[in-house]
Amino acid sequence: MFHLSRKDQIKLAIFALVVVTMPIWLAPLGAAYPGLMQKFAIYAIFAIGFNILFGLTGYLSFGHAAFLGVGSYTAVWSFKLLTMDIVPALIFSTLLAGVFALVIGFFSLRRTGIYFSILTLAFAQMCYSLAYSVLTPITNGETGLLLARNDPRVIDEALGAGTVGGAGLPTPALLGNTVSGYFGFYICAALLILAFFISQKIFASPFGLALRGIKSNQTRMIYTGFNIRPYMLAAFVISGMFAGLAGGLLSVTDPIAGAERMRWTESGNIVLMTILGGVGTLIGPVIGAWVIEYFENIFSAINKNMLNAAFDFLPDGVQNLAVTVLSKFVGEGWHLTLGLLFVLIVVFLPGGLVEGYLKLVARFRRGRGTKPEAGGK
Amino acid sequence: MNAFLAQLLNGLDKGGAYALIALGLTLVFGTLGVVNFAHGALFMLGCFMAVTFRYLITIEKVTTDPTQLSPWGQPLEVRAPIVQDWLGDFGLFLVDYSVPFSILLTIPVMLAIGIGMERGLIKHFYKRTHAEQILVTFGLAIVIGEIVKSIYGPNPWPQPIPSDLRSAADIGRWLGMEPNTLTYPWWRMIYLMFSLGVIAAVFAFLRFTTFGMVVRAGMADREAVGLLGINIDKRFTVVFGLAAVVAGVAGAMYTPLLPPNYQIGMDFLVLSFVVVVVGGMGSLPGAVLAGFLLGILQSFASMTEVKSLIPGIDQVIIYLVAVVILLVRPRGLMGRRGVMEG
């Protein structure tokens, strides 16, 4: 069960090393603080899960944010009702997101192409609208679901464990250790490595091969006697569970769950991350998630004064012009950069950053006179 | 009964907006085969054409009137729109009716934007997959939205209804009921008439002109039309421009009903995609039918009686209908087999 090919073992080892040493190599980039690194890990898990559906089967879901939202709410409810320990919270959020994915997938997968995309979008928008309106007792509407001191927390009560976190609000904990800062990051990192491992196993398995077969020629798969429905549903549920886990982790690192996590822009965001990195590749979605989270954080923090300082060496008029133009792209306007980046990537590099890298490698090798390797997806 | 009729009327104007956006989306899809997620952004640009037009014609000239004094003893400042200076009373009329007149600005600008968009970006995506088309136009929609945000700011821009049209039409009395039992605001009625007119114009254009005939032939078999020596690409570019104009005027006329901000395009886009899919990808009558249908259903679902029966139904009705129709009628109401299923 835990066997991997030699190549995959090396990949996993390198990946684990890169993730674990994140605090070191992110430091020169100015992003080595725990809150951001937690997000790096969480969104990478989300993207890996999304890639299992979109990358392997080619079914473009526009509703994955619903599972993220379900995971978040479940984790917070687990904190409120059962215990502040994160293990049950994460298990429940993964499972419940899986159940949601089972139901939504059961209906949505009856259709293909854009009809599938619209069906998933419709389900996700329903979840979002309901979370804002009728389900307010469960979701606490616009305020978002918060922890409170007088929550029941049955298990904590039964075990007689005092609330972790002293006088203030209780904080999520793992076996009595408060989950925050670097400890929180390493929990997310461990789960990310686990997610990567699972994704490797799926990619290398007959199951993954069948999914790829569905992507390249569905009709032929059906004609060869394959019943594709259970395969598709399994892929959809697995990818929904990854999203649920990511949602749960979002609540673990910051125990608030709001409906805006279910909005369709969030679904668009995850599509973006996957495409940017490289659809259907193992590492691509992770890179995409990191790049977007990094830019979101760095670009939105830049303001006019910083730009003025950076362009101080230019003559005044040019400096003003440069600052005026560039200030549209940073801070509040970083979405503009994101949109442009997105358009450029789709136009010039449809395979994402990973494909770009493979092309570069191929060109480099050709330059040295050896035969170029076929760029594997 | 009256409540029923009132909701029907309320749904019609919203349905008109949905139908117009869905019509443009379908037109682009049917001719170019491109799934355009930036269509909502075109609607939003249309809204801001109305905002810009009003802004331009209300630029004021400040003159001092020495014969009158302000309470502080200085000559009174008189502010008047420059157009009043130029055109006299017609200028004031123009300011009052800025929204309908803004169409004059909207049509050429949107035509130019549409053609530019098609030539500059979309034409490179004919041969790419639908997923890639969705993604690139999605990115484009973000870019357009952000540019508008950086110019007009994040807050909504309310536009006034022309002062003569602010009251409501007493439709009940026309139908022989008691006065004031069934009223319908004039502007909503105008919007409904306007959308029906635009829809009729588009259909007539495709039906009765040579240009429309060539476009329809191109929709059926692009290659054959090309082999006949007709430059079909050029015509399709114009069709894209036309779709942009339809979305733009739909937006410009809608501004008094819903103050636009930079997000209005995205909100309408999601809904109108649902509309298009419910109508059936590639079917123009289907898009119009589904637009009105969903508008009316949404309006019925927001009745208090219905809401108390099924709480939250007003929020999800459109999506619920979309799910049911797609599961029961796989290709939407009027879609053809094999479109967009790959």
Side-chain angles (χ1 to χ4, degrees), chain B residues 1 14 35 42 70 87 116 118 130 132 154 158 177 195 239 246 249 282 295 332:
Chain B
M1 186 60 199
K14 198 162 213 179
V35 184
L42 294 172
S70 72
L87 302 171
E118 200 272 341
H130 287 306
E132 281 173 340
M177 287 186 264
S195 56
V239 171
V246 170
V249 294

Side-chain angles (χ1 to χ4, degrees), chain A residues 75 118 131 154 156 158 181 183 185 190 210 215 233 267 285 291 296 305 325 362 372-373:
Chain A
I118 294 287
V154 190
D156 283 359
F183 184 49
F185 164 67
K215 181 182 188 178
L233 194 57
S267 301
V291 169
E296 170 165 9
N305 294 336
V325 171
E373 216 175 296

Side-chain angles (χ1 to χ4, degrees), chain A residues 18-30:
Chain A
V18 168
V19 172
V20 172
T21 56
M22 228 185 223
I24 300 167
W25 59 265
L26 275 178
L29 298 171

Side-chain angles (χ1 to χ4, degrees), chain A residues 48 51 77 89 126 139 144 151 177 184 188 190 207 253 295 306 316 331:
Chain A
I48 286 178
N51 188 45
W77 272 112
M126 274 198 255
T139 62
D151 285 330
N177 303 305
C188 298
F207 171 68
T253 51
F295 277 110
M306 293 162 75
D316 265 0

